[in-house]
Amino acid sequence: MSEKPKYVSIPDFDRQITMDAIHSGDLNDRTYGLYSLTYYSGDYNLILKTLEKYIHDELWETRYTVYQCLERFLRLYGEIPIDPFLSYILDGLNDEDEQVQGNAQKCLYNLFYCITPDWTFKIKEVHEILKNGSISDCVKVLIFVNHHWKGEKLAAVIRKCIKHPDPIIQNCAGFVLKLFYDTIRKEMLHFETVTKLATRSQNKELKSFSQEYLISIEWIEEDMNTLKKQLEQITKRNS
């Protein structure tokens, strides 16, 4: 791993005490140490190396903590080596403990928020992977298209993923769709304010156009809320 700047280190963080706690064998000490390392050390490489060491620990409590720290790491640094950590996250989704599964799922969704992919796919590659590729490759495709594709190209991928036989891919497709609608809603809020201003205009034609647009906003909002509820139901069913 390449060296990263120490983004979030604090002056009184004690690396030796923290690492001793993590490796002590005591569950409480290890939990404290993992949180402390992730939140306060600012040491990109050491955090990843330590989380990787304990991500398959025999104690579910440790695995739970590791995935929680991994989610925090993604929020702090906005990046992570997709290989091997995507495979670790997918392992967590199949963990025997439901609480571990829940934290792993948060990590998975955070990849879509945080990761700006440095990999590319051509259109033919995307559809071939979605048809015959591994779950890991399908997730990488979705992360890629979420950042780089728009319109019908993006919709076609989401459509395929919603029909994918694996619920993990279905859920990821639903999450990408949610991000898309969240973006639309934010854009609409900007224009809604301007449109309301236009409805108070003395210009009758401008006022008429703006009133029609406000009605359209209400319809879109209603459709988005309905879709959101449907996606939540699908996600719960597939979890």
Side-chain angles (χ1 to χ4, degrees), residues 183-195:
T183 301
I184 291 178
R185 183 177 280 108
K186 289 176 183 176
E187 291 294 323
M188 284 170 52
L189 287 174
H190 295 305
F191 287 97
E192 184 177 8
T193 304
V194 178
T195 306

Side-chain angles (χ1 to χ4, degrees), residues 1-227:
M1 297 175 188
S2 59
E3 285 293 325
K4 299 290 177 182
K6 294 178 171 55
Y7 291 101
V8 291
S9 59
I10 59 174
D12 58 349
F13 173 79
D14 192 308
R15 171 172 169 162
Q16 190 60 53
I17 291 176
T18 299
M19 297 311 294
D20 287 347
I22 291 172
H23 301 314
S24 69
D26 179 84
L27 179 60
N28 290 331
D29 285 351
R30 177 175 296 167
T31 301
Y32 157 80
L34 288 170
Y35 284 134
S36 181
L37 177 68
T38 304
Y39 281 62
Y40 305 124
S41 73
D43 193 325
Y44 181 98
N45 288 331
L46 181 61
I47 296 169
L48 285 183
K49 182 180 178 181
T50 306
L51 294 180
E52 186 173 12
K53 179 175 181 177
Y54 289 102
I55 203 162
H56 293 127
D57 194 81
E58 60 182 11
L59 296 177
W60 74 264
E61 293 93 341
T62 298
R63 299 195 303 276
Y64 173 88
T65 300
V66 168
Y67 282 106
Q68 199 165 53
C69 289
L70 194 59
E71 183 200 6
R72 178 63 177 176
F73 179 91
L74 281 164
R75 291 181 180 274
L76 285 172
Y77 291 93
E79 60 177 273
I80 200 170
I82 199 70
D83 298 314
F85 279 90
L86 175 56
S87 65
Y88 295 156
I89 291 171
L90 295 177
D91 288 343
L93 294 176
N94 293 310
D95 196 275
E96 60 188 24
D97 185 85
E98 290 185 1
Q99 295 181 80
V100 176
Q101 292 174 23
N103 280 351
Q105 188 170 60
K106 291 176 184 176
C107 291
L108 180 64
Y109 291 158
N110 268 328
L111 293 178
F112 291 89
Y113 275 122
C114 303
I115 298 294
T116 300
D118 58 1
W119 58 89
T120 59
F121 295 105
K122 296 179 180 178
I123 293 177
K124 287 185 178 180
E125 291 176 321
V126 165
H127 293 287
E128 178 60 30
I129 289 171
L130 294 180
K131 183 178 180 181
N132 298 312
S134 66
I135 300 303
S136 178
D137 284 343
C138 288
V139 172
K140 289 169 78 171
V141 160
L142 270 169
I143 293 172
F144 169 76
V145 300
N146 178 56
H147 278 270
H148 296 296
W149 288 10
K150 296 179 180 179
E152 178 53 32
K153 285 172 67 179
L154 177 60
V157 171
I158 294 174
R159 190 180 300 116
K160 273 198 168 185
C161 290
I162 287 173
K163 296 178 180 179
H164 196 280
D166 194 289
I168 292 174
I169 303 305
Q170 294 172 19
N171 291 345
C172 286
F175 190 72
V176 170
L177 201 54
K178 174 187 178 301
L179 293 176
F180 172 75
Y181 277 104
D182 284 347
T183 301
I184 291 178
R185 183 177 280 108
K186 289 176 183 176
E187 291 294 323
M188 284 170 52
L189 287 174
H190 295 305
F191 287 97
E192 184 177 8
T193 304
V194 178
T195 306
K196 286 180 178 177
L197 177 64
T199 62
R200 297 194 292 271
S201 172
Q202 298 300 314
N203 182 320
K204 291 183 178 179
E205 190 168 359
L206 171 60
K207 187 172 183 177
S208 175
F209 283 145
S210 56
Q211 286 173 336
E212 289 179 14
Y213 185 68
L214 282 178
I215 292 172
S216 298
I217 289 176
E218 291 176 3
W219 288 344
I220 294 170
E221 279 284 352
E222 186 176 337
D223 289 344
M224 286 195 296
N225 289 332
T226 300
L227 179 62

